[in-house]
Amino acid sequence: MPTTRAKAHSGGGLPGKGGADRRSPGRVRFVGVLLILLSLISAVLCYVAFAVWLPSDRERYRDYQAAEPCPAHTTVPVESDCLSTWQFTVVKTVVKSSGKSSRYEATLKDEDSWRGVVSFGDPGPLLERLEPGDRVTATVWRRDIVVLSKDGVRQNSSEAPRDELQMNAALGMLAALVAAQAFVFGAVRLVKPRGYEPFSWDPYGRRLLFTSIGACVGVGLPAAWIGVPWWTVPAIGVPVVVCAAGLMHHRLRPRPAG
């Protein structure tokens, strides 16, 4: 009797553990449909990133670079494309650097009743020097304070357009890679519901997703720091992920018995 029980366990495996042969084909196909829907959403996000977001940021930066100072001694609307200057008084500053909750802000007011908060990406070179009561000069472009200056020291605000299209491309590339991965994993589940390995989350899907994220960050950030064209991000990142996916698939695919 003990011998019979041992054979049953060795032939069927441990009950309750995950595996393609232990899941109903209907459930596997349903997950495949969800993955394909996820791939469509990611594909739309990729389209928005490359067809809308990136061109919009590029045009806005070009317009800002071409903007000239507004004519002196004339009343210019704050939404104008020219660069107007305004004098404000510092009410208070916030310089808080603690990981994810970092805040760099300056609260300003004018001689009337206006009061506003200007956000920055870092504390220097001007923000950390400001004290309540200081008079500062703000450069306004299209209703946004883009530069704050005092005594010749200038600092761009978070609203200042920047030539950082590389990160736009990196996020768009990540959306494209997620779309491709979700579509392939979903399609395999629809076609082969009983034998879709290794196209499962653990370990192939998890490793591939983290590889995609690492490639987007690892290529996008250096590209933004160096200032290379944005199209170099997908030109380098996509082949890297494709090669990694091929190597991982080769190592994880089921081997014939014996």
Side-chain angles (χ1 to χ4, degrees):
M1 193 66 181
T3 305
T4 305
R5 186 179 298 109
K7 289 181 179 179
H9 279 278
S10 61
L14 294 175
K17 298 293 183 181
D21 56 337
R22 294 173 183 80
R23 297 180 181 177
S24 65
R27 180 183 176 185
V28 173
R29 287 194 174 99
F30 177 72
V31 175
V33 171
L34 293 181
L35 288 174
I36 292 179
L37 291 177
L38 175 61
S39 72
L40 295 178
I41 296 174
S42 296
V44 171
L45 294 177
C46 173
Y47 173 81
V48 171
F50 283 105
V52 179
W53 185 29
L54 192 149
S56 175
D57 282 2
R58 179 174 53 195
E59 291 300 321
R60 187 169 185 267
Y61 177 75
R62 289 177 178 176
D63 292 344
Y64 177 62
Q65 290 296 102
E68 297 180 354
C70 297
H73 308 295
T74 59
T75 302
V76 180
V78 292
E79 65 270 13
S80 174
D81 275 343
C82 64
L83 302 173
S84 60
T85 56
W86 303 75
Q87 296 295 320
F88 295 109
T89 301
V90 177
V91 177
K92 67 175 182 177
T93 60
V94 177
V95 179
K96 180 181 178 183
S97 179
S98 57
K100 296 182 179 180
S101 60
S102 299
R103 288 178 58 199
Y104 307 107
E105 298 175 348
T107 302
L108 310 177
K109 69 176 183 179
D110 61 6
E111 297 179 353
D112 298 323
S113 59
W114 181 88
R115 178 184 291 234
V117 177
V118 182
S119 299
F120 298 88
D122 51 68
L126 177 63
L127 180 62
E128 57 190 1
R129 302 182 182 183
L130 295 179
E131 299 290 342
D134 287 349
R135 295 287 291 176
V136 294
T137 301
T139 302
V140 179
W141 182 71
R142 293 184 180 177
R143 303 186 67 90
D144 293 325
I145 296 178
V146 293
V147 178
L148 214 60
S149 62
K150 180 180 181 294
D151 298 333
V153 181
R154 296 166 54 89
Q155 183 173 352
N156 288 335
S157 72
S158 299
E159 298 297 331
R162 292 171 172 81
D163 186 16
E164 296 177 351
L165 302 179
Q166 297 84 356
M167 294 309 301
N168 300 45
L171 293 176
M173 180 180 69
L174 178 59
L177 294 173
V178 171
Q181 178 180 344
F183 181 83
V184 172
F185 278 50
V188 172
R189 285 172 179 266
L190 291 179
V191 176
K192 300 172 60 178
R194 294 189 180 276
Y196 58 85
E197 298 294 344
F199 294 94
S200 58
W201 168 249
D202 193 14
Y204 190 28
R206 173 173 50 83
R207 293 178 182 176
L208 187 55
L209 178 60
F210 289 151
T211 300
S212 300
I213 296 174
C216 293
V217 176
V219 177
L221 284 179
W225 294 336
I226 299 173
V228 297
W230 65 266
W231 52 264
T232 59
V233 176
I236 297 176
V238 171
V240 168
V241 175
V242 171
C243 292
L247 292 175
M248 286 187 286
H249 178 266
H250 178 74
R251 294 179 180 179
L252 295 174
R253 66 181 179 182
R255 295 291 192 273

